Structure formats: structure tokens, C-alpha cells
């Protein structure tokens, strides 16, 4: 039979009740056969799930791989060390290096875009994603004054599906910029604005819609500023927000 | 796992993150149900967490923070998108019912039944599976679960209660079905 205490039994076993409630439930369970049988059954399920849930273990090889990936980087890049050592026989290798250089540039661009994606993800994962919390562009825009070395215009959203959630100052390779968070249909979208001359050249080449593994992204340059719009919203939503920003920049 | 501010040096990330490696992997494997996808997910989580470490607020919960990164990464993967296609509503519907003295879980003390239980957990919808595992296996507090899943504590409690109910039902069906 369910009674007033039934609903508290899980919280009791999970250790989530206040001291006075723990005492009350404990007293009741001792005098109520239904609740004591019930609680026994819940404890057994809890224990069983705890044991059965520890099911998968990573391989030692995989652990070592991840540890290497996150370990502090060596002071000199292997390429540079290798170049110095090889300078005496460089002539033979020039052709090979040129081919590598072209390949590396492409790789660098992909890498640079994943930094934009990571900034976006890290913000969403942060307990305080924005430093200025406001849906009003007239509050958010002036907040950035004196914090970043440029100004920008934000679009009027009253006739759109987008909501401004707020903004924060963000750094991309030591370059300060603005990050604005918008929401559309429960998806959060980041807009990053940096001075175009200050961002990685690899990021300056690309324009238009781009694909990232998990996100849609638009990037363009206007009046010396470089814009990135990124999120897991649809490509159409990303483009619509980009268009709103482009129009706002004209005014 | 609270982190005092002065300890936040570059070396700290590895010190904080590597001890969680086994449990993050276990959780990732439960989410993806596949070894190589779980490895990709864990690796991506560590790389993202390292890069975003400067945005981690000292004094807050590191474990909840990195679980949240793992889960966000999973949700945007193909498997994650498929798994969230059917999301149960967080409505507080049915009143709490007793687990009952002769519900099937009393049998699970026996080791031979472990596979059946694992199958029943596997069959839970993603939103039930994750909240149950964080509570029972990771032994997180409701507060910590709320941070990891980005949901309020009230929702943690109702989801957990529904997850347990669904698990009991899954078990009952598996036992009756043979
Ligand atoms: Zn009772």
C-alpha cells in the first residue's frame, strides 16, 4: 500500500532528505510493513544497478592515447627541430616540404574552425555562459564598450524567431572579441565577432556556409570585422541569423 | 570535487580529468552502446574540456562540468540525435507507487541475472538511462546530476522516479517473456 512516505523512499535511499525528514522516514519504515518491504526492494534494485552499471572498461592503449593527447605540448615543435637537424640535406627535401606546406594549410583551417566550435561548446557547458545577461541589444552592445577594441551593431529581433540571451568577452589566440548567444527553437547559437586582421589567416579565407562535424557555421568579413555564426540549429536558422547581422551592420 | 582557485594551473587539467577516465568511458559506452563510438566520444570530450578549461569556474564542480561536455558532445553526434528522437516528456504524472515486495528485482542479487538487468537498462530511453546511471553508478547528488544534465533538481527527481519505474517494468516484461 502506498502511503505518505512512499514518495520519499527514493530520496531517503539517495541520501537527499533533510535530517528531520530522514528521522521521520526511518521511524515510519520500522513500524510500517508495507514501507519496509518496499524499501528493501528499492535497495536491492539500487545495489543491482550499481553493480550491473559498472560494465565497460577502457583499454590501456586507449587511456594512453588520450593521456598523450592532453599532455602539455613540447616546447619546440617536432617540425622545427627536424628542420634544423636536416638543414645540411635540405636541398633534397625541398620538394617534399612544399607539398607538405600546402597540405598543412588546409589542416590548419580545419583546426582553426574547430577552435570556434570548441569556444561555442565550452560556453554552453559553462555554468555561467554569459557575462551580460539581457535580451535587449541596447543593453548588450554598450556593455562591450571599453572591453573590446571595436564596436558593432546588433539586429532588431522583434519580428524574428531569435532571442538574444546575452554576451561575453571571448579570446581567440589572445585576441579579444565579442560572443553573443542567441536562441532559436531551443537551440543556442553563438555569434563571434573579431577584428579581421587579428584572426588566424586560415580563418580569413573562408566565407559562406561551412560544415563542421556537429555544427552549422557561417563566416564572413565586413568593414574590418570577422563574423562567425555557429550552432546545432538548422543551416537555415544559422543563415537567417547571419542575414540579420549583415543587415544590422549596414545601418 | 571542488577546486580551490590557486590550484588551477595548466597541470591541473590532467590531474582533475584523468581520475575520471574509467567512469567517463563507462558512461560513454552506455550512451553509445558501441566501443569505438565510446572511444571517439571520450577522446573528443577530453580535447574539448582541455581547450575550454579556461572557462571552467574554479570552485565549481569539475566532474559535473566534464560530464556535461561529454553529454553535449554525444547529443550532437549521429547516435545521440537518433537517441533523442523519442524524448519522454517531463510531466509529473502518476503518483508514486510502491516498488512492491515481490517485484522481480529481488532476484537480481544473483549474478546470473546481471545480463538481464543490463539489457533492461540498455532498453531504457536515453533520458532515463543517463539519469539512472549518474545516480546509481556515479553516485552523484541530485544537484550534481542537475548540473551535468542541465536540468533543475525537480526534473532530476521526477525523471529518476520515472526511470526506476520504467526499469522495473522492463524487468518484469523480460522475466515474463522468458
Ligand atoms: Zn508506510
Amino acid at each position: 500500500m502506498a502511503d505518505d512516505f512512499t514518495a520519499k523512499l527514493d530520496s531517503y535511499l539517495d541520501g537527499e532528505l533533510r535530517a528531520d525528514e530522514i528521522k521521520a522516514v526511518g521511524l515510519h519504515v520500522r513500524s510500517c510493513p508495507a514501507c519496509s518491504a518496499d524499501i528493501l526492494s528499492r535497495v536491492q534494485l539500487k545495489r543491482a544497478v550499481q553493480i550491473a552499471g559498472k560494465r565497460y572498461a577502457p583499454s590501456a592503449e586507449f587511456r594512453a592515447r588520450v593521456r598523450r593527447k592532453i599532455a602539455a605540448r613540447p616546447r619546440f615543435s617536432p617540425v622545427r627541430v627536424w628542420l634544423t637537424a636536416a638543414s645540411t640535406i635540405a636541398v633534397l627535401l625541398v620538394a617534399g616540404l612544399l607539398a607538405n606546406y600546402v597540405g598543412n594549410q588546409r589542416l590548419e583551417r580545419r583546426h582553426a574552425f574547430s577552435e570556434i566550435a570548441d569556444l561555442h561548446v565550452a560556453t554552453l557547458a559553462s555554468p555561467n555562459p554569459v557575462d551580460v545577461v539581457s535580451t535587449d541589444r541596447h543593453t548588450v552592445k554598450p556593455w562591450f564598450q571599453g572591453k573590446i577594441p571595436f564596436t558593432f551593431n546588433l539586429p532588431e529581433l522583434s519580428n524574428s524567431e531569435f532571442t538574444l540571451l546575452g554576451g561575453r568577452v571571448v579570446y581567440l589566440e589572445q585576441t579579444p572579441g565579442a560572443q553573443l548567444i542567441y536562441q532559436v527553437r531551443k537551440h543556442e547559437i553563438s555569434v563571434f565577432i573579431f577584428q579581421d586582421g587579428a584572426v588566424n589567416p586560415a580563418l580569413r579565407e573562408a566565407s559562406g556556409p561551412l560544415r563542421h562535424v556537429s555544427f552549422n557555421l557561417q563566416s564572413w568579413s565586413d568593414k574590418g570585422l570577422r563574423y562567425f555564426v555557429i550552432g546545432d540549429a538548422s543551416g537555415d536558422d544559422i543563415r537567417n541569423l547571419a542575414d540579420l547581422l549583415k543587415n544590422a551592420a549596414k545601418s | 570535487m571542488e577546486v580551490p582557485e590557486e590550484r588551477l594551473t595548466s597541470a591541473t587539467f590532467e590531474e582533475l580529468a584523468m581520475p575520471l577516465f574509467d567512469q567517463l568511458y563507462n558512461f560513454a559506452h552506455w550512451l553509445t552502446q558501441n566501443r569505438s563510438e565510446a572511444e571517439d566520444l571520450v577522446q573528443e570530450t577530453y580535447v574539448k574540456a582541455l581547450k575550454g578549461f579556461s572557462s571552467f569556474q574554479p570552485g565549481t564542480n569539475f566532474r559535473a562540468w566534464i560530464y556535461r561536455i561529454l553529454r553535449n558532445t554525444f547529443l550532437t553526434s549521429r547516435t545521440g540525435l537518433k537517441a533523442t528522437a523519442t524524448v519522454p516528456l517531463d510531466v509529473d504524472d502518476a503518483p508514486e507507487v510502491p516498488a512492491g515486495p515481490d517485484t522481480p528485482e529481488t532476484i537480481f542479487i544473483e549474478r546470473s541475472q546481471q545480463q538481464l538487468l543490463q539489457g533492461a537498462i540498455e532498453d531504457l530511453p536515453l533520458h532515463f538511462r543517463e539519469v539512472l546511471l549518474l545516480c546509481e553508478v556515479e553516485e552523484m547528488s541530485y544537484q550534481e546530476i542537475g548540473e551535468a544534465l542541465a536540468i533543475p533538481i525537480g526534473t532530476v527527481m521526477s525523471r529518476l522516479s520515472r526511470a526506476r519505474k520504467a526499469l522495473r517494468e522492463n524487468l518484469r516484461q523480460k522475466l515474463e517473456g522468458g
Side-chain angles (χ1 to χ4, degrees):
Chain A
M1 281 288 285
D3 57 32
D4 289 350
F5 287 87
T6 308
K8 286 188 175 167
L9 295 181
D10 278 339
S11 301
Y12 175 73
L13 292 175
D14 293 338
E16 296 278 349
L17 292 183
R18 294 192 313 267
D20 56 323
E21 293 176 304
I22 294 173
K23 211 171 155 190
V25 173
L27 274 174
H28 171 79
V29 166
R30 254 165 274 162
S31 63
C32 172
C35 281
S36 63
D38 193 346
I39 212 162
L40 178 69
S41 154
R42 284 173 202 262
V43 168
Q44 284 174 329
L45 184 63
K46 219 173 140 56
R47 293 239 173 93
V49 171
Q50 190 180 30
I51 294 162
K54 287 178 186 150
R55 183 181 190 183
Y56 305 107
S59 69
E61 183 272 327
F62 175 55
R63 183 200 308 273
R65 194 162 83 218
V66 172
R67 193 188 285 280
R68 272 199 305 277
K69 259 216 139 71
I70 63 162
R73 300 212 172 88
R75 186 169 297 237
F76 297 104
S77 78
V79 174
R80 275 185 69 164
V81 173
W82 178 82
L83 269 180
T84 317
S87 57
T88 50
I89 50 162
V91 175
L92 291 171
L93 297 163
V94 165
L97 278 177
L98 274 177
N100 258 338
Y101 177 74
V102 174
N104 275 343
Q105 277 203 320
R106 204 171 302 143
L107 205 84
E108 224 172 77
R109 189 185 321 165
R110 210 182 311 147
H111 178 74
F113 278 116
S114 37
E115 275 178 19
I116 296 285
D118 289 338
L119 277 175
H120 172 66
V121 170
T123 305
L124 297 189
S126 156
N128 310 304
V130 288
D131 292 329
V132 50
V133 185
S134 175
T135 56
D136 183 1
R137 65 191 168 123
H138 301 298
T139 306
V140 173
K141 188 188 155 182
W143 181 85
F144 281 100
Q145 267 166 25
K147 297 188 176 76
I148 51 170
F150 57 88
T151 61
F152 52 85
N153 283 336
L154 292 180
E156 168 61 44
L157 298 171
S158 53
N159 290 320
S160 77
E161 293 169 290
F162 298 96
T163 317
L164 176 62
L165 299 181
R168 68 196 279 256
V169 175
V170 70
Y171 290 85
L172 185 69
E173 290 156 5
Q174 282 81 51
T175 305
Q179 179 179 11
L180 303 146
I181 318 268
Y182 288 89
Q183 192 173 48
V184 65
R185 283 181 273 280
K186 297 202 172 156
H187 293 277
E188 268 107 35
I189 302 174
S190 285
V191 173
F192 294 99
I193 310 173
F194 296 96
Q195 284 174 303
D196 202 24
V199 302
N200 185 329
L203 284 173
R204 268 181 264 148
E205 279 173 36
S207 280
L210 295 157
R211 271 208 332 258
H212 176 266
V213 192
S214 335
F215 299 111
N216 286 307
L217 192 147
Q218 287 254 345
S219 176
W220 70 95
S221 169
D222 185 23
K223 297 191 187 120
L225 297 181
R226 167 63 56 177
Y227 295 76
F228 302 97
V229 180
I230 184 168
D232 64 350
S234 72
D236 282 349
D237 282 337
I238 298 287
R239 199 187 49 242
N240 290 338
L241 183 57
D243 289 345
L244 285 168
L245 285 155
K246 285 177 193 170
N247 283 330
K250 284 194 197 113
S251 57
Chain B
M1 196 189 280
E2 303 260 301
V3 188
E5 195 145 4
E6 66 274 17
R7 281 203 58 229
L8 266 190
T9 61
S10 55
T12 332
F13 177 75
E14 198 178 339
E15 286 167 25
L16 287 170
M18 284 317 286
L20 300 172
F21 194 78
D22 285 12
Q23 58 189 86
L24 280 165
Y25 176 81
N26 181 55
F27 187 62
H29 201 146
W30 271 110
L31 293 184
T32 58
Q33 320 248 328
N34 173 298
R35 178 165 291 273
S36 83
E37 272 185 56
E39 290 189 349
D40 289 349
L41 176 56
V42 169
Q43 180 162 323
E44 207 178 331
T45 300
Y46 272 78
V47 170
K48 277 183 186 167
L50 175 61
K51 283 202 177 147
F53 192 49
S54 54
S55 80
F56 171 70
Q57 311 268 320
T60 61
N61 189 312
F62 179 81
R63 181 165 71 152
W65 180 76
I66 198 167
Y67 267 88
R68 188 156 166 184
I69 294 177
L70 185 142
R71 183 169 170 276
N72 284 345
T73 307
F74 172 67
L75 290 183
T76 48
S77 73
R78 199 182 305 163
T79 313
L81 289 172
K82 224 187 292 164
T84 46
T86 52
V87 177
L89 294 171
D90 281 315
V91 283
D92 218 0
D93 48 2
E96 186 64 23
V97 293
D102 42 29
T103 41
E105 64 266 30
T106 44
I107 303 159
F108 284 97
I109 310 295
E110 291 170 47
R111 225 184 150 64
S112 58
Q113 301 288 344
Q114 187 138 313
Q115 278 190 342
L116 201 71
L117 178 55
Q118 285 170 339
I121 299 172
E122 236 166 54
D123 291 348
L124 289 175
L126 173 71
H127 283 56
F128 287 172
R129 204 185 324 139
E130 60 185 8
V131 79
L132 190 75
L133 291 166
L134 292 179
C135 180
E136 312 293 33
V137 181
E138 307 310 335
E139 298 182 84
M140 286 186 182
S141 68
Y142 291 174
Q143 165 82 34
E144 212 177 351
I145 297 172
E147 283 172 34
L149 302 183
I151 52 176
I153 288 188
T155 311
V156 172
M157 291 171 72
S158 59
R159 260 191 215 173
L160 200 48
S161 162
R162 288 153 63 84
R164 283 166 168 154
K165 217 179 291 175
L167 180 64
R168 278 186 218 118
E169 194 45 46
N170 280 2
L171 286 173
R172 188 172 289 122
Q173 278 174 12
K174 279 187 193 299
L175 284 169
E176 283 167 6

PDB file of all heavy atoms in Angstrom, chain A residues 3 5 28 32 35, ligand 1:
ATOM      1  N   ASP A   3       1.587   4.982   0.974  1.00  0.00           N
ATOM      2  CA  ASP A   3       1.142   5.977   1.945  1.00  0.00           C
ATOM      3  C   ASP A   3       1.943   7.257   1.744  1.00  0.00           C
ATOM      4  O   ASP A   3       2.666   7.398   0.760  1.00  0.00           O
ATOM      5  CB  ASP A   3       1.244   5.435   3.382  1.00  0.00           C
ATOM      6  CG  ASP A   3       2.647   4.986   3.728  1.00  0.00           C
ATOM      7  OD1 ASP A   3       3.606   5.582   3.206  1.00  0.00           O
ATOM      8  OD2 ASP A   3       2.772   4.027   4.520  1.00  0.00           O
ATOM      9  N   PHE A   5       4.551   8.230   2.849  1.00  0.00           N
ATOM     10  CA  PHE A   5       6.000   8.086   2.866  1.00  0.00           C
ATOM     11  C   PHE A   5       6.571   7.467   1.583  1.00  0.00           C
ATOM     12  O   PHE A   5       7.760   7.562   1.318  1.00  0.00           O
ATOM     13  CB  PHE A   5       6.429   7.251   4.078  1.00  0.00           C
ATOM     14  CG  PHE A   5       6.292   8.014   5.373  1.00  0.00           C
ATOM     15  CD1 PHE A   5       5.099   8.022   6.071  1.00  0.00           C
ATOM     16  CD2 PHE A   5       7.370   8.744   5.870  1.00  0.00           C
ATOM     17  CE1 PHE A   5       4.972   8.743   7.251  1.00  0.00           C
ATOM     18  CE2 PHE A   5       7.259   9.464   7.047  1.00  0.00           C
ATOM     19  CZ  PHE A   5       6.046   9.470   7.746  1.00  0.00           C
ATOM     20  N   HIS A  28       9.098   5.760  10.580  1.00  0.00           N
ATOM     21  CA  HIS A  28       7.909   5.202   9.951  1.00  0.00           C
ATOM     22  C   HIS A  28       8.187   3.817   9.370  1.00  0.00           C
ATOM     23  O   HIS A  28       7.403   2.885   9.557  1.00  0.00           O
ATOM     24  CB  HIS A  28       7.391   6.131   8.861  1.00  0.00           C
ATOM     25  CG  HIS A  28       6.310   5.515   8.039  1.00  0.00           C
ATOM     26  ND1 HIS A  28       4.993   5.443   8.476  1.00  0.00           N
ATOM     27  CD2 HIS A  28       6.344   4.878   6.844  1.00  0.00           C
ATOM     28  CE1 HIS A  28       4.278   4.810   7.571  1.00  0.00           C
ATOM     29  NE2 HIS A  28       5.067   4.452   6.570  1.00  0.00           N
ATOM     30  N   CYS A  32       6.027   0.277   9.673  1.00  0.00           N
ATOM     31  CA  CYS A  32       5.106   0.046   8.555  1.00  0.00           C
ATOM     32  C   CYS A  32       5.629  -1.093   7.685  1.00  0.00           C
ATOM     33  O   CYS A  32       6.629  -0.938   6.989  1.00  0.00           O
ATOM     34  CB  CYS A  32       4.959   1.331   7.741  1.00  0.00           C
ATOM     35  SG  CYS A  32       4.034   1.109   6.200  1.00  0.00           S
ATOM     36  N   CYS A  35       5.993  -0.284   3.870  1.00  0.00           N
ATOM     37  CA  CYS A  35       7.138   0.548   3.512  1.00  0.00           C
ATOM     38  C   CYS A  35       8.459  -0.190   3.717  1.00  0.00           C
ATOM     39  O   CYS A  35       9.411   0.003   2.961  1.00  0.00           O
ATOM     40  CB  CYS A  35       7.150   1.856   4.305  1.00  0.00           C
ATOM     41  SG  CYS A  35       6.008   3.083   3.634  1.00  0.00           S
TER      42      CYS A  35
HETATM   43 ZN1  LIG C   1       4.397   3.146   5.120  1.00  0.00          ZN
END
